[in-house]
Amino acid sequence: MFATPLRQPSAMNQMQKTSPGMDSHDKPFQYEITDHGYGKDAVKVLHVSRKGPVHTIQEFEVGTHLKLYSKKDYYQGNNSDIVATDSQKNTVYLLAKKHGIESPEKFALLLARHFINKYSHVEEAHVHVEAYPWQRVCQDETKTTINGSCEKGVQGSCDFSSIDNRSLHNHAFIFTPTAQHYCDVVVRRTDPKQTVITGIKGLRVLKTTQSSFVNFVNDEFRSLPDQYDRIFSTVIDCSWEYSDTDSLDFLKAWQTVKNIIIRNFAGDPQVGVSSPSVQHTLYLSERQVLDVLPQVSVISMTMPNKHYFNFDTKPFQKIAPGDNNEVFIPVDKPHGTIYAQLARKNINSHL
């Protein structure tokens, strides 16, 4: 889904307000198109970088949307300025071939700038990219030893070549949908600064303790008791806008944000971390992102509660005596939704 940056009236729009013009039926414009655009969505592309024996892949789903200065295609059915959506699709493949693909953000910037530079009648280019989560197959996922030998009887540990001090496969990958990396890039001809929004979608996490929710409003509508220790589970959607992208490693920054979110949710592997509310955990994550990444101007997060209710075993004491703190009923609906946006002061964002 495309993010929707704030839109400012263009100079062309202002001129159209003072000069109403005529539609295709030679009648003065009675109404005004206040927003418009068109493009190609869900363009799937796989790029393989073959540098020696170690191959790297990037698989994206790309959307390209253009806004033209003219609205004659709407008002008069005149298609002379339209860059066909099929041509936009071809552009995705041709620029991938010509320039390669490094990250969703860099490829989106490349596409958006191309449309602005190539076609003088394009006012705005908006590119949305969703990355497919491929990771290299690692040794532990393929290693099978029998009496100290590999599957075919060869002595050794069945290691692959070392990449970044880890045993990873040179050209085999596994799909790992832990969370989705996406971005939205908007380049406007009248604005020298592009908009770059990056996000994490569908990061589902759960912890079995160190989550509480107590001392909330107690009135005649309340039925929920204080919960001093509960299961905490959520599916995190998070997006942030960059104020500076010069020399930024987008892939590293995305992984940094993901790690910060998980760290504030889970804490130390042996000790954990206490969460007095979803709101507090969300805020701590957003604050640390702004502390660690100065290029991020604003960050927004949504954390819906995925409830796990304790199964009541009291009526079944003859079958399952004692208290129950092991069996729970997963309940996705209805659910609470907690969200917040944290920004540096005096920053105008497009989130």
Side-chain angles (χ1 to χ4, degrees):
M1 181 180 293
F2 277 72
T4 307
L6 300 177
R7 301 181 183 274
Q8 300 297 327
S10 66
M12 182 63 71
N13 288 340
Q14 296 297 331
M15 287 191 296
Q16 288 175 345
K17 288 181 180 179
T18 58
S19 179
M22 309 291 282
D23 64 17
S24 60
H25 301 287
D26 295 327
K27 295 181 179 179
F29 290 138
Q30 186 176 1
Y31 312 106
E32 179 186 10
I33 294 176
T34 57
D35 193 16
H36 67 290
Y38 73 102
K40 200 73 162 182
D41 289 323
V43 179
K44 299 178 113 178
V45 56
L46 171 68
H47 182 269
V48 182
S49 176
R50 306 175 185 271
K51 296 180 179 178
V54 180
H55 298 171
T56 302
I57 67 170
Q58 294 281 4
E59 184 176 359
F60 292 167
E61 196 164 309
V62 181
T64 60
H65 283 197
L66 304 180
K67 178 188 285 190
L68 309 182
Y69 280 111
S70 170
K71 301 183 184 72
K72 61 186 179 183
D73 47 337
Y74 291 92
Y75 287 129
Q76 290 138 12
N78 185 332
N79 300 331
S80 59
D81 283 349
I82 292 180
V83 181
T85 63
D86 190 67
S87 302
Q88 296 181 39
K89 175 203 70 178
N90 293 338
T91 302
V92 171
Y93 297 123
L94 291 170
L95 291 190
K97 168 62 178 173
K98 185 176 181 180
H99 300 281
I101 294 179
E102 181 180 330
S103 69
E105 293 83 359
K106 282 194 173 182
F107 190 58
L109 282 165
L110 176 71
L111 283 166
R113 289 167 178 164
H114 166 84
F115 289 121
I116 291 293
N117 294 331
K118 175 72 173 175
Y119 305 103
S120 60
H121 58 285
V122 172
E123 177 186 3
E124 176 182 297
H126 184 170
V127 179
H128 176 80
V129 177
E130 296 181 358
Y132 284 29
W134 290 107
Q135 291 186 3
R136 293 186 186 277
V137 170
C138 69
Q139 173 192 352
D140 292 340
E141 289 158 341
T142 60
K143 178 179 177 182
T144 302
T145 59
I146 303 174
N147 297 326
S149 300
C150 295
E151 291 176 347
K152 296 183 180 181
V154 179
Q155 292 293 324
S157 63
C158 311
D159 283 352
F160 295 112
S161 58
S162 178
I163 304 172
D164 296 333
N165 296 321
R166 294 177 297 168
S167 297
L168 302 176
H169 202 286
N170 284 347
H171 55 262
F173 302 83
I174 188 169
F175 198 74
T176 56
T178 303
Q180 186 172 63
H181 180 172
Y182 72 90
C183 77
D184 282 274
V185 166
V186 181
V187 176
R188 303 175 183 87
R189 189 174 301 279
T190 56
D191 188 348
K193 187 178 183 305
Q194 70 271 357
T195 298
V196 181
I197 297 170
T198 297
I200 295 171
K201 184 163 56 178
L203 178 61
R204 185 159 190 168
V205 292
L206 181 151
K207 66 180 182 180
T208 56
T209 189
Q210 290 191 309
S211 173
S212 60
F213 186 58
V214 301
N215 299 325
F216 49 96
V217 172
N218 188 9
D219 60 14
E220 65 274 23
F221 293 98
R222 173 176 166 174
S223 61
L224 186 69
D226 282 343
Q227 300 177 68
Y228 293 94
D229 193 25
R230 62 175 181 171
I231 290 178
F232 180 7
S233 180
T234 184
V235 182
I236 300 165
D237 288 343
C238 176
S239 60
W240 58 95
E241 183 175 348
Y242 292 110
S243 58
D244 179 19
T245 59
D246 293 340
S247 69
L248 177 65
D249 186 332
F250 289 107
L251 294 178
K252 184 178 180 181
W254 186 88
Q255 190 63 51
T256 297
V257 175
K258 179 185 171 187
N259 290 346
I260 287 173
I261 292 171
I262 294 174
R263 188 182 307 117
N264 279 280
F265 173 83
D268 179 86
Q270 304 301 320
V271 181
V273 64
S274 176
S275 173
S277 66
V278 179
Q279 286 87 336
H280 188 61
T281 298
L282 185 154
Y283 167 72
L284 291 178
S285 298
E286 291 185 330
R287 188 182 70 179
Q288 189 173 3
V289 169
L290 294 182
D291 287 342
V292 172
L293 292 173
Q295 299 92 341
V296 174
S297 59
V298 57
I299 180 170
S300 178
M301 286 180 63
T302 301
M303 298 177 71
N305 252 325
K306 297 298 181 183
H307 298 293
Y308 290 82
F309 294 137
N310 188 288
F311 176 72
D312 185 8
T313 57
K314 291 185 179 66
F316 309 98
Q317 288 299 298
K318 290 183 179 180
I319 302 173
D323 295 332
N324 171 42
N325 195 30
E326 294 83 30
V327 178
F328 297 84
I329 304 172
V331 178
D332 285 345
K333 298 176 182 179
H335 61 77
T337 300
I338 293 86
Y339 56 91
Q341 180 172 293
L342 190 66
R344 302 182 192 276
K345 292 186 177 180
N346 303 318
I347 291 290
N348 294 321
S349 82
H350 298 104
L351 286 181

